[in-house]
Amino acid sequence: MLQQTSRFNAQSAERPVLAPAWLIALLAGLIGGALWLLYPRQDLERRLATATAGTDIALSVVYLQNLLRSDPANMHLHLLLARQHLLLGELPEAREELQRVRGSADPQIQRELAWLDWELDYAAYIALAADGEERARLRPAMKQKLQALRQYDWPADRLARLGQWGAQFHGPAFAQQSARELAARQADPDEAARLYEQAAREALGVSDYETCAQLYILARRVTTDPQQAKAYFLAALAALQSGNRLADAVALGEQEIGALADDPQVLLRMTELARAAARPDVADRYVRKLLRMALLRPAEDAPAPVLAADRPFMQPAALRAPAPRPAPVFDDGAHWLLPPGAIASAPLGPWRMVRAADGAAAQPRAPGLPFDDKVYSLAYEVFLENRKQDDAWAIARAAVRQRPQDIAWRERLARVSEWTERADVALENWLAIARQTQRPDAWQAVLRIAPGQFDDAALAQALLYQLRSRPSDMRLVRE
């Protein structure tokens, strides 16, 4: 009988090992670390925080709730979930999530908690009736909470929103301060100017014209674009003008004009503002600068430029010598005794006919400015408002010299010539107007002035015009 042998008595054989235990543990650790690094937790949180559409927000809430089951102590996830509830309008749920993070000692968590607290309170505030007693009761507390948010250091987008809320609860000063802080943080001057401009428009929207103008001036100071700087300066003036604060607009313009003192557009704007503000003295000063600048602009039909000393209208009237009046000249009618051909012949010695227009050579020379109807018209009106009729006459004379067919300027020259006792120039222009337009008032002016100037030719033309309309008037026939 064979003896039974236990299987445990079998000789053990060595089995092959693919890798040692320490290597397997190392590989497992490396794979686990890689999986941990590849897990998109921060990216997922970022995407959840930026969800905007309704379906995206609802899905974000589900994701966040699942993440919190595995990491309930994550305060950032609680804050994200509270924000999603706020976006969905679920205010009680949002407050419940915020209660879970109030015990955190992290300054970043506390700052975010303060912001979300304010947003929840603001959402509840605007849901109340605008003219209700409850909103009026809550307004002081809302102002205090908003002021408390100023103690934190906020990024640019939130600082801009603080300025908008500040304008609503605290007035323009709060919004302006927020805009200043926001722009001061910008390294790009053009971006800072844009922020100032945005704040200025918001101030204008609430009819805070002074703050709007000051913000535009700040934008002008920081921008690097000269054209944009000029636009901001003009916008500041326009803001004050829209609030009917014309005197303040003139004062701000004079204070801040700076390098724009030689800009024709700015000088024109300042002149118009000064006139609207009943400051003819300021308008006079700027319109003279504007005329000097006009001399520097070339024009194809402009006469040869002359020295500024030859243009007395550009100097204050008190510093100028009065313009010499032409000596009176008379037509004794003797030329009518000559044969018709003798009038057009060579010099006639003592028989030479002298007309009043010959005295024009004695008039002061008109300015040699390139014609710009807007500038000329403004200067003419400003000089008349300042009772500087000689200056207005020089402007009108220059305009007629360069635009002889312009009836409006001829009429201005005719009228101001009468006011300054230059009857010969007045007659010349009234006669030109009458011939070109056949206006009765122009012929009446010729009838009024021509006898005093002994200009029988002009008088005869005016009488002939009246005789054509009243051929049976024997008095006209005898004249």
Side-chain angles (χ1 to χ4, degrees), residues 462-477:
L463 291 174
L464 184 61
Y465 169 81
Q466 287 198 327
L467 191 59
R468 284 197 295 267
S469 60
R470 292 181 291 171
S472 60
D473 192 332
M474 297 307 300
R475 183 180 64 82
L476 291 177
V477 173

PDB file of all heavy atoms in Angstrom, residues 462-477:
ATOM      1  N   ALA A 462     -31.032 156.870 -59.251  1.00  0.00           N
ATOM      2  CA  ALA A 462     -32.096 156.614 -58.290  1.00  0.00           C
ATOM      3  C   ALA A 462     -33.398 157.277 -58.721  1.00  0.00           C
ATOM      4  O   ALA A 462     -34.482 156.685 -58.591  1.00  0.00           O
ATOM      5  CB  ALA A 462     -31.667 157.101 -56.912  1.00  0.00           C
ATOM      6  N   LEU A 463     -33.302 158.504 -59.239  1.00  0.00           N
ATOM      7  CA  LEU A 463     -34.512 159.180 -59.713  1.00  0.00           C
ATOM      8  C   LEU A 463     -35.109 158.458 -60.910  1.00  0.00           C
ATOM      9  O   LEU A 463     -36.331 158.380 -61.059  1.00  0.00           O
ATOM     10  CB  LEU A 463     -34.172 160.629 -60.071  1.00  0.00           C
ATOM     11  CG  LEU A 463     -33.834 161.543 -58.879  1.00  0.00           C
ATOM     12  CD1 LEU A 463     -33.364 162.904 -59.374  1.00  0.00           C
ATOM     13  CD2 LEU A 463     -35.043 161.701 -57.965  1.00  0.00           C
ATOM     14  N   LEU A 464     -34.251 157.952 -61.789  1.00  0.00           N
ATOM     15  CA  LEU A 464     -34.749 157.225 -62.955  1.00  0.00           C
ATOM     16  C   LEU A 464     -35.487 155.960 -62.510  1.00  0.00           C
ATOM     17  O   LEU A 464     -36.505 155.596 -63.110  1.00  0.00           O
ATOM     18  CB  LEU A 464     -33.569 156.867 -63.864  1.00  0.00           C
ATOM     19  CG  LEU A 464     -33.927 156.185 -65.193  1.00  0.00           C
ATOM     20  CD1 LEU A 464     -34.819 157.098 -66.046  1.00  0.00           C
ATOM     21  CD2 LEU A 464     -32.658 155.832 -65.972  1.00  0.00           C
ATOM     22  N   TYR A 465     -34.989 155.280 -61.472  1.00  0.00           N
ATOM     23  CA  TYR A 465     -35.678 154.093 -60.948  1.00  0.00           C
ATOM     24  C   TYR A 465     -37.068 154.465 -60.439  1.00  0.00           C
ATOM     25  O   TYR A 465     -38.048 153.768 -60.717  1.00  0.00           O
ATOM     26  CB  TYR A 465     -34.849 153.472 -59.809  1.00  0.00           C
ATOM     27  CG  TYR A 465     -35.587 152.412 -59.032  1.00  0.00           C
ATOM     28  CD1 TYR A 465     -35.700 151.105 -59.503  1.00  0.00           C
ATOM     29  CD2 TYR A 465     -36.200 152.719 -57.803  1.00  0.00           C
ATOM     30  CE1 TYR A 465     -36.392 150.141 -58.788  1.00  0.00           C
ATOM     31  CE2 TYR A 465     -36.893 151.760 -57.088  1.00  0.00           C
ATOM     32  CZ  TYR A 465     -36.985 150.475 -57.577  1.00  0.00           C
ATOM     33  OH  TYR A 465     -37.684 149.522 -56.875  1.00  0.00           O
ATOM     34  N   GLN A 466     -37.165 155.571 -59.705  1.00  0.00           N
ATOM     35  CA  GLN A 466     -38.474 155.979 -59.205  1.00  0.00           C
ATOM     36  C   GLN A 466     -39.390 156.422 -60.331  1.00  0.00           C
ATOM     37  O   GLN A 466     -40.597 156.203 -60.284  1.00  0.00           O
ATOM     38  CB  GLN A 466     -38.291 157.118 -58.198  1.00  0.00           C
ATOM     39  CG  GLN A 466     -37.710 156.662 -56.863  1.00  0.00           C
ATOM     40  CD  GLN A 466     -37.951 157.691 -55.771  1.00  0.00           C
ATOM     41  OE1 GLN A 466     -37.959 158.897 -56.047  1.00  0.00           O
ATOM     42  NE2 GLN A 466     -38.150 157.232 -54.546  1.00  0.00           N
ATOM     43  N   LEU A 467     -38.798 157.043 -61.345  1.00  0.00           N
ATOM     44  CA  LEU A 467     -39.614 157.518 -62.453  1.00  0.00           C
ATOM     45  C   LEU A 467     -40.214 156.366 -63.240  1.00  0.00           C
ATOM     46  O   LEU A 467     -41.334 156.484 -63.767  1.00  0.00           O
ATOM     47  CB  LEU A 467     -38.753 158.392 -63.380  1.00  0.00           C
ATOM     48  CG  LEU A 467     -39.504 159.187 -64.458  1.00  0.00           C
ATOM     49  CD1 LEU A 467     -40.521 160.125 -63.817  1.00  0.00           C
ATOM     50  CD2 LEU A 467     -38.527 159.960 -65.317  1.00  0.00           C
ATOM     51  N   ARG A 468     -39.511 155.244 -63.307  1.00  0.00           N
ATOM     52  CA  ARG A 468     -40.071 154.084 -64.005  1.00  0.00           C
ATOM     53  C   ARG A 468     -41.283 153.523 -63.266  1.00  0.00           C
ATOM     54  O   ARG A 468     -42.199 153.002 -63.889  1.00  0.00           O
ATOM     55  CB  ARG A 468     -39.001 152.999 -64.133  1.00  0.00           C
ATOM     56  CG  ARG A 468     -37.962 153.285 -65.210  1.00  0.00           C
ATOM     57  CD  ARG A 468     -37.203 152.015 -65.574  1.00  0.00           C
ATOM     58  NE  ARG A 468     -36.414 151.520 -64.458  1.00  0.00           N
ATOM     59  CZ  ARG A 468     -35.146 151.839 -64.256  1.00  0.00           C
ATOM     60  NH1 ARG A 468     -34.514 152.658 -65.101  1.00  0.00           N
ATOM     61  NH2 ARG A 468     -34.489 151.348 -63.230  1.00  0.00           N
ATOM     62  N   SER A 469     -41.283 153.625 -61.937  1.00  0.00           N
ATOM     63  CA  SER A 469     -42.437 153.137 -61.179  1.00  0.00           C
ATOM     64  C   SER A 469     -43.552 154.180 -61.092  1.00  0.00           C
ATOM     65  O   SER A 469     -44.710 153.834 -60.891  1.00  0.00           O
ATOM     66  CB  SER A 469     -41.999 152.734 -59.762  1.00  0.00           C
ATOM     67  OG  SER A 469     -41.437 153.844 -59.089  1.00  0.00           O
ATOM     68  N   ARG A 470     -43.202 155.460 -61.236  1.00  0.00           N
ATOM     69  CA  ARG A 470     -44.208 156.548 -61.197  1.00  0.00           C
ATOM     70  C   ARG A 470     -43.965 157.501 -62.364  1.00  0.00           C
ATOM     71  O   ARG A 470     -43.475 158.613 -62.202  1.00  0.00           O
ATOM     72  CB  ARG A 470     -44.101 157.298 -59.870  1.00  0.00           C
ATOM     73  CG  ARG A 470     -44.537 156.467 -58.653  1.00  0.00           C
ATOM     74  CD  ARG A 470     -44.441 157.263 -57.389  1.00  0.00           C
ATOM     75  NE  ARG A 470     -43.049 157.537 -57.030  1.00  0.00           N
ATOM     76  CZ  ARG A 470     -42.684 158.379 -56.047  1.00  0.00           C
ATOM     77  NH1 ARG A 470     -43.619 159.023 -55.358  1.00  0.00           N
ATOM     78  NH2 ARG A 470     -41.414 158.571 -55.773  1.00  0.00           N
ATOM     79  N   PRO A 471     -44.290 157.084 -63.550  1.00  0.00           N
ATOM     80  CA  PRO A 471     -43.967 157.921 -64.729  1.00  0.00           C
ATOM     81  C   PRO A 471     -44.759 159.234 -64.798  1.00  0.00           C
ATOM     82  O   PRO A 471     -44.339 160.176 -65.481  1.00  0.00           O
ATOM     83  CB  PRO A 471     -44.307 157.003 -65.904  1.00  0.00           C
ATOM     84  CG  PRO A 471     -45.283 156.014 -65.356  1.00  0.00           C
ATOM     85  CD  PRO A 471     -44.911 155.819 -63.924  1.00  0.00           C
ATOM     86  N   SER A 472     -45.865 159.309 -64.102  1.00  0.00           N
ATOM     87  CA  SER A 472     -46.672 160.524 -64.169  1.00  0.00           C
ATOM     88  C   SER A 472     -46.351 161.530 -63.067  1.00  0.00           C
ATOM     89  O   SER A 472     -47.031 162.547 -62.948  1.00  0.00           O
ATOM     90  CB  SER A 472     -48.155 160.148 -64.105  1.00  0.00           C
ATOM     91  OG  SER A 472     -48.431 159.466 -62.893  1.00  0.00           O
ATOM     92  N   ASP A 473     -45.325 161.238 -62.286  1.00  0.00           N
ATOM     93  CA  ASP A 473     -44.949 162.130 -61.188  1.00  0.00           C
ATOM     94  C   ASP A 473     -44.116 163.274 -61.756  1.00  0.00           C
ATOM     95  O   ASP A 473     -42.933 163.121 -62.080  1.00  0.00           O
ATOM     96  CB  ASP A 473     -44.159 161.368 -60.131  1.00  0.00           C
ATOM     97  CG  ASP A 473     -43.996 162.156 -58.838  1.00  0.00           C
ATOM     98  OD1 ASP A 473     -43.999 163.401 -58.902  1.00  0.00           O
ATOM     99  OD2 ASP A 473     -43.845 161.517 -57.763  1.00  0.00           O
ATOM    100  N   MET A 474     -44.732 164.457 -61.893  1.00  0.00           N
ATOM    101  CA  MET A 474     -44.072 165.591 -62.525  1.00  0.00           C
ATOM    102  C   MET A 474     -42.918 166.111 -61.672  1.00  0.00           C
ATOM    103  O   MET A 474     -41.934 166.676 -62.202  1.00  0.00           O
ATOM    104  CB  MET A 474     -45.085 166.711 -62.759  1.00  0.00           C
ATOM    105  CG  MET A 474     -46.200 166.289 -63.725  1.00  0.00           C
ATOM    106  SD  MET A 474     -45.561 165.636 -65.304  1.00  0.00           S
ATOM    107  CE  MET A 474     -44.649 167.056 -65.913  1.00  0.00           C
ATOM    108  N   ARG A 475     -43.006 165.917 -60.340  1.00  0.00           N
ATOM    109  CA  ARG A 475     -41.900 166.382 -59.500  1.00  0.00           C
ATOM    110  C   ARG A 475     -40.622 165.603 -59.815  1.00  0.00           C
ATOM    111  O   ARG A 475     -39.532 166.194 -59.898  1.00  0.00           O
ATOM    112  CB  ARG A 475     -42.284 166.190 -58.030  1.00  0.00           C
ATOM    113  CG  ARG A 475     -41.217 166.712 -57.053  1.00  0.00           C
ATOM    114  CD  ARG A 475     -41.669 166.493 -55.606  1.00  0.00           C
ATOM    115  NE  ARG A 475     -41.795 165.078 -55.336  1.00  0.00           N
ATOM    116  CZ  ARG A 475     -40.760 164.249 -55.013  1.00  0.00           C
ATOM    117  NH1 ARG A 475     -39.544 164.771 -54.922  1.00  0.00           N
ATOM    118  NH2 ARG A 475     -40.972 162.992 -54.788  1.00  0.00           N
ATOM    119  N   LEU A 476     -40.773 164.299 -60.013  1.00  0.00           N
ATOM    120  CA  LEU A 476     -39.612 163.499 -60.373  1.00  0.00           C
ATOM    121  C   LEU A 476     -39.091 163.912 -61.733  1.00  0.00           C
ATOM    122  O   LEU A 476     -37.859 163.929 -61.963  1.00  0.00           O
ATOM    123  CB  LEU A 476     -39.956 162.005 -60.359  1.00  0.00           C
ATOM    124  CG  LEU A 476     -40.232 161.369 -58.998  1.00  0.00           C
ATOM    125  CD1 LEU A 476     -40.638 159.915 -59.140  1.00  0.00           C
ATOM    126  CD2 LEU A 476     -38.998 161.480 -58.093  1.00  0.00           C
ATOM    127  N   VAL A 477     -39.983 164.216 -62.662  1.00  0.00           N
ATOM    128  CA  VAL A 477     -39.543 164.631 -64.010  1.00  0.00           C
ATOM    129  C   VAL A 477     -38.740 165.902 -63.912  1.00  0.00           C
ATOM    130  O   VAL A 477     -37.681 166.056 -64.560  1.00  0.00           O
ATOM    131  CB  VAL A 477     -40.751 164.793 -64.933  1.00  0.00           C
ATOM    132  CG1 VAL A 477     -40.336 165.377 -66.280  1.00  0.00           C
ATOM    133  CG2 VAL A 477     -41.475 163.458 -65.121  1.00  0.00           C
TER     134      VAL A 477
END
